[in-house]
Amino acid sequence: MSRFARNTVTSLETVRELKAIGVDVYFEEQKIHSMSGDGELMLTILSAFAQEESRSASDNQKWRIRKAFENGELMNIRTLFGYRITKKKGIEIDPEQAEVVREMFTRIIRGDSLMSIVRWLNRNEHFGAFGGKWTAGRLREALSNEKYMGHSLLQKAFRNNHIEKKLLPNQGELPQYYATETHPAIIDEATFEAAQQALERIAAQKPASKPWEHHIFTGMIICSVCGKPYRHVKNHGKSRWACPTYIMEGKAFCESKQIPEEIIMRMACDLLGWNSFDEEAFRQEVDHITAVYPHTLIFHLRDGREERLEWQNRSRSESWTPEMREKARKAARRKNDGKNSD
């Protein structure tokens, strides 16, 4: 593909945008002015040639890779924790990382949870490719990867087309090939199968996901300490909003406080002069809220105003419902009856 033809694929849209505001682009080699009708026609033709050339090159590359898959050749492997790739020796085991891989499999088979193994990996800085931290999802993928047995399931993914080149999972669109002994193994097949059984047990124990719940202030409350949007949490049946950094990392990383939802709604009603809270009207009036440590909410209104308000938790006695009071009264009576019987 010529350099000019290759560039026109991405530059034609830019040239037309410049043309729309009266800016002429002159291509010296081709002696073309973009403002002329001939120039627009020539750019379109060149772009079409370039796209066809790109499609042809892409098809040739795909054919080469698929023929290699059919022959059981391992292609396009770049990074896999536990291995290293060199030009001279190809794929070889990384001894230090391989020990970590074996420990990962040992722990999942003996019944450790995915998150406990993740914490062990990250705490000991056994980071994955490119230094990334492990997550439960990444760990599950690693423990399910047949390449640790020295085998390879080929064509797990494919590119959608030669223009977007998005990598998509192969869910039956193209044939897959299972090749054995394509590279050195870190674990044996018995260990791998035992790990798959452990993962199946974990999946079976996982409760069904709850349907998505809409919450009034989702994306609306921003923590002034770390900048993250507050999350909805429930505590003893009460709706509250809290910073995710505080929830996950603790007070040492973010000192923000949980805010009862009813307090935010009451403050919004007082600010906007409402008798009752209206979510749709609230989102029309308020752009977002900044939560400032320890007890301040800044309402950023859509008309440009900012209102800074202080909030306070109700006292414990004020927050008790009649049911809570009755339960406490019965508990106190039982306690006193027990003392009198002694």
Side-chain angles (χ1 to χ4, degrees):
M1 186 189 301
S2 66
R3 181 167 54 182
F4 179 76
R6 187 166 58 245
N7 289 342
T8 54
V9 175
T10 56
S11 65
L12 182 58
E13 184 177 347
T14 302
V15 171
R16 284 174 173 165
E17 289 178 358
L18 292 171
K19 181 180 178 181
I21 60 175
V23 177
D24 181 33
V25 177
Y26 179 65
F27 298 89
E28 293 183 351
E29 184 179 345
Q30 288 74 26
K31 296 182 173 54
I32 295 175
H33 284 276
S34 62
M35 296 294 286
S36 68
D38 290 342
E40 174 69 15
L41 176 61
M42 183 59 68
L43 286 171
T44 303
I45 293 173
L46 288 171
S47 178
F49 274 120
Q51 288 191 21
E52 179 60 24
E53 192 173 345
S54 174
R55 185 195 63 78
S56 177
S58 176
D59 288 347
N60 290 337
Q61 178 75 351
K62 288 177 181 177
W63 181 88
R64 183 181 68 84
I65 291 174
R66 288 170 187 169
K67 289 299 291 183
F69 285 161
E70 290 178 14
N71 295 329
E73 298 177 23
L74 185 58
M75 299 285 291
N76 297 336
I77 181 170
R78 294 182 177 86
T79 54
L80 180 62
F81 187 80
Y83 291 96
R84 58 191 176 206
I85 303 172
T86 62
K87 290 183 178 180
K88 291 183 178 180
K89 298 182 180 180
I91 303 172
E92 60 180 5
I93 293 175
D94 182 314
E96 185 176 342
Q97 290 185 357
E99 284 303 313
V100 177
V101 171
R102 295 186 186 101
E103 181 65 18
M104 287 159 46
F105 277 88
T106 297
R107 287 175 179 246
I108 199 68
I109 291 170
R110 77 184 183 195
D112 289 10
S113 68
L114 289 169
M115 282 309 302
S116 68
I117 301 174
V118 165
R119 286 191 290 269
W120 169 74
L121 288 165
N122 291 333
R123 184 171 59 247
N124 291 281
E125 299 184 351
H126 298 310
F127 300 136
F130 309 113
K133 287 188 175 182
W134 289 90
T135 63
R138 286 186 61 197
L139 177 60
R140 179 184 288 276
E141 288 179 5
L143 294 170
S144 304
N145 197 329
E146 78 290 339
K147 289 185 175 64
Y148 286 124
M149 295 185 291
H151 309 324
S152 299
L153 178 61
L154 306 175
Q155 201 153 253
K156 291 180 180 179
F158 65 98
R159 301 285 178 182
N160 61 337
N161 56 57
H162 68 286
I163 297 175
E164 293 180 308
K165 297 183 178 179
K166 289 183 179 179
L167 190 64
L168 302 176
N170 184 2
Q171 298 177 335
E173 293 87 350
L174 296 172
Q176 292 183 327
Y177 308 92
Y178 194 87
T180 60
E181 300 180 358
T182 55
H183 56 284
I186 292 178
I187 60 169
D188 56 39
E189 294 187 12
T191 300
F192 184 81
E193 289 304 322
Q196 304 321 295
Q197 293 173 13
L199 291 173
E200 289 175 5
R201 287 194 296 271
I202 291 173
Q205 295 169 0
K206 185 178 180 181
S209 59
K210 296 180 180 179
W212 182 82
E213 296 181 22
H214 171 77
H215 297 293
I216 297 170
F217 299 111
T218 298
M220 295 285 289
I221 306 172
I222 308 300
C223 177
S224 66
V225 179
C226 67
K228 293 183 179 179
Y230 270 39
R231 291 181 185 173
H232 176 264
V233 296
K234 275 202 170 183
N235 190 354
H236 300 294
K238 296 287 187 178
S239 288
R240 296 174 178 270
W241 291 84
C243 173
T245 302
Y246 175 83
I247 295 172
M248 300 299 294
E249 305 290 346
K251 189 175 181 180
F253 293 86
C254 184
E255 292 185 328
S256 61
K257 292 183 175 292
Q258 292 188 16
I259 310 171
E261 185 173 271
E262 60 182 19
I263 287 181
I264 306 172
M265 296 172 69
R266 186 169 66 245
M267 293 175 71
C269 289
D270 292 343
L271 174 63
L272 300 171
W274 298 341
N275 292 325
S276 61
F277 186 83
D278 185 318
E279 180 184 351
E280 184 176 350
F282 172 78
R283 288 185 173 270
Q284 291 176 355
E285 295 284 345
V286 180
D287 182 75
H288 66 280
I289 302 170
T290 301
V292 181
Y293 178 83
H295 294 104
T296 301
L297 293 181
I298 303 175
F299 288 77
H300 302 264
L301 305 181
R302 293 193 180 276
D303 62 9
R305 291 182 295 136
E306 292 184 1
E307 297 291 342
R308 189 183 188 96
L309 303 175
E310 301 293 324
W311 65 273
Q312 292 292 334
N313 261 324
R314 292 184 302 170
S315 67
R316 180 166 179 164
S317 61
E318 291 177 324
S319 65
W320 278 25
T321 64
E323 292 79 8
M324 293 168 65
R325 293 177 186 274
E326 179 63 19
K327 184 177 180 180
R329 186 182 65 79
K330 289 180 178 179
R333 177 179 291 179
R334 287 195 299 271
K335 185 176 181 181
N336 290 331
D337 291 343
K339 288 182 178 179
N340 293 334
S341 64
D342 292 340

